[in-house]
Amino acid sequence: MHWTNDLIFLCMLDKYLISMHNARMSHAQRARTSSDVCFVRAYAKINLTLDVLGRRADGYHDLATVMQTVDLYDTICLTATEDSRVQLACTKPELSNGDNLVVQAAHLVRQRLAIRQGVLIELHKHIPMAAGLGGGSSDAAAVILALQQWWRLHLSHSDLLDMATSLGSDVPFFLTGGLALCEGRGERVTALAPYWPRSMRWLLLLKPAISISTAAVFRNLPASDYSDDTHSRAVSRALNAGQTPQLEDLHNSFERSVLGRYPEVARAKGDLLQAGAPFVRLSGTGPTLYAPFSELANAQKVQEQLQSQGYEVYLSRAIHPNVVDVNVY
Ligand code: C5P
């Protein structure tokens, strides 16, 4: 397997040197069609439920969470370079470093298949950072999937899952996206039928002006806020049956402690409700809150009201990317 991939890579690097009559021509042609530039979108997510079941011996927590991708996305452009480095240029300078998960994802793929091809990653951020919307995890999954398609790599689903899990607990979900129940650390992903309630057709995502460390929120969660997986199972069952879940099952174990610890988030929730949101929930470990609307006009009215109060608010919707949105030029 390695040999084949190395050969494809040699051909990519040497594509102008290889004779049309060379025995490796078919590989060269394949490489040529895959070009030097690749774009991919990385979508954000919200958590419809997030049940924290308990702390594990390895320091992580067991979860049951229903996640849904939404159409707020980062854009990633990958360009083949002449050297063997992985470089990153990001519209947020504070993210332009080797710790960024996109750089780690590219290194991981290259190491796994002993690939030396260099790549420049340009990352146009739209998803707020450290916000509970999974932006960094989604970027990482998008890079793995884009490299796989662009470079035509032979990676099995379990290879992809291994790499994704080693990058972060939310990364496996983003390999497929859509609507899914995620369990374990987050890496056991079960796709749900792509049903979405009409009453939640439009989503406002409000990002309070603070960043929250996921690790800190987990650390500060009292055991009294642990739950079992009842909410996540009930919501999964309802959605699979094409029914609107019960409001009380849209439960996030972190909401009580995050609202208590961060007054900005509690204030934002109150302001959303006051402006007319039917209900409001925390996404992930926050601080982003989401509110559903059935009518676009109502969502827009509430968005404008909140924006006039100085809030960062996105009007979004659930999205089910059927195929990975990779464009090769
Ligand atoms: O997996 P990831 O690196 O995204 O997790 C960030 C931090 O969140 C972990 O270091 C851990 O403190 C916490 N976490 C957890 N249990 C999970 C997922 C994350 O305790 N299932």
Side-chain angles (χ1 to χ4, degrees):
M1 187 173 80
H2 286 198
W3 184 85
T4 311
N5 283 309
D6 283 348
L7 183 55
I8 291 171
F9 266 88
L10 277 172
C11 294
M12 283 184 74
L13 291 172
D14 298 343
K15 61 186 176 183
Y16 299 115
L17 303 177
I18 293 170
S19 150
M20 291 298 282
H21 304 291
N22 191 299
R24 292 186 290 176
M25 186 178 74
S26 62
H27 291 290
Q29 283 173 336
R30 271 168 51 199
R32 229 175 249 145
T33 60
S34 62
S35 174
D36 290 339
V37 179
C38 170
F39 277 92
V40 62
R41 282 181 181 176
Y43 292 97
K45 58 82 181 164
I46 58 168
N47 300 72
L48 275 185
T49 64
L50 208 181
D51 292 311
V52 179
L53 311 185
R55 194 166 187 277
R56 316 185 331 179
D58 64 4
Y60 282 92
H61 292 74
D62 274 322
L63 310 174
T65 176
V66 175
M67 298 209 269
Q68 168 69 58
T69 40
V70 294
D71 78 341
L72 176 63
Y73 57 86
D74 292 337
T75 305
I76 299 171
C77 176
L78 304 173
T79 309
T81 56
E82 295 297 317
D83 57 28
S84 60
R85 289 182 298 162
V86 174
Q87 300 169 73
L88 172 62
C90 180
T91 47
K92 301 276 180 197
E94 65 271 36
L95 293 184
S96 279
N97 58 63
D99 291 339
N100 193 304
L101 282 187
V102 293
V103 173
Q104 293 178 35
H107 279 306
L108 212 54
V109 172
R110 289 169 7 120
Q111 275 159 16
R112 192 145 192 129
L113 297 173
I115 291 164
R116 287 184 52 76
Q117 170 69 56
V119 61
L120 167 65
I121 305 170
E122 290 175 303
L123 173 55
H124 189 178
K125 284 301 288 183
H126 298 283
I127 306 172
M129 298 171 291
L133 295 171
S137 303
S138 183
D139 294 343
V143 165
I144 295 175
L145 293 171
L147 290 178
Q148 184 197 24
Q149 277 199 35
W150 181 34
W151 289 348
R152 297 165 194 226
L153 306 178
H154 299 285
L155 290 164
S156 66
H157 183 67
S158 89
D159 289 331
L160 296 173
L161 196 58
D162 269 7
M163 289 190 285
T165 305
S166 74
L167 289 165
S169 307
D170 278 352
V171 183
F173 164 74
F174 288 107
L175 291 177
T176 40
L179 179 63
L181 169 67
C182 304
E183 296 170 283
R185 240 178 80 196
E187 83 287 6
R188 280 201 340 259
V189 181
T190 309
L192 302 175
Y195 169 77
W196 193 250
R198 287 175 70 90
S199 57
M200 299 181 70
R201 213 161 11 180
W202 299 102
L203 297 166
L204 284 189
L205 310 177
L206 184 153
K207 159 69 173 54
I210 53 168
S211 296
I212 295 189
S213 145
T214 302
V217 175
F218 270 101
R219 215 173 28 249
N220 292 324
L221 184 71
S224 53
D225 284 344
Y226 294 165
S227 49
D228 57 20
D229 61 3
T230 316
H231 305 291
S232 297
R233 298 230 161 261
V235 168
S236 302
R237 256 195 323 274
L239 293 170
N240 263 339
Q243 290 164 0
T244 303
Q246 298 293 320
L247 204 54
E248 60 270 24
D249 282 323
L250 300 181
H251 171 82
N252 182 331
S253 294
F254 293 112
E255 191 161 320
R256 202 195 60 81
S257 65
V258 168
L259 294 186
R261 196 170 275 269
Y262 302 97
E264 302 90 330
V265 185
R267 202 174 317 120
K269 179 171 179 177
D271 287 343
L272 263 168
L273 289 170
Q274 182 144 31
F279 68 88
V280 178
R281 291 288 184 275
L282 188 74
S283 182
T285 51
T288 300
L289 298 160
Y290 66 88
F293 295 84
S294 58
E295 310 292 334
L296 175 61
N298 290 343
Q300 190 187 15
K301 205 172 80 213
V302 173
Q303 180 186 29
E304 284 167 2
Q305 164 72 38
L306 272 295
Q307 282 172 335
S308 73
Q309 292 173 246
Y311 285 111
E312 180 181 344
V313 192
Y314 302 87
L315 178 50
S316 189
R317 68 177 177 97
I319 187 168
H320 298 270
N322 289 326
V323 282
V324 190
D325 203 353
V326 176
N327 290 281
V328 169
Y329 298 105

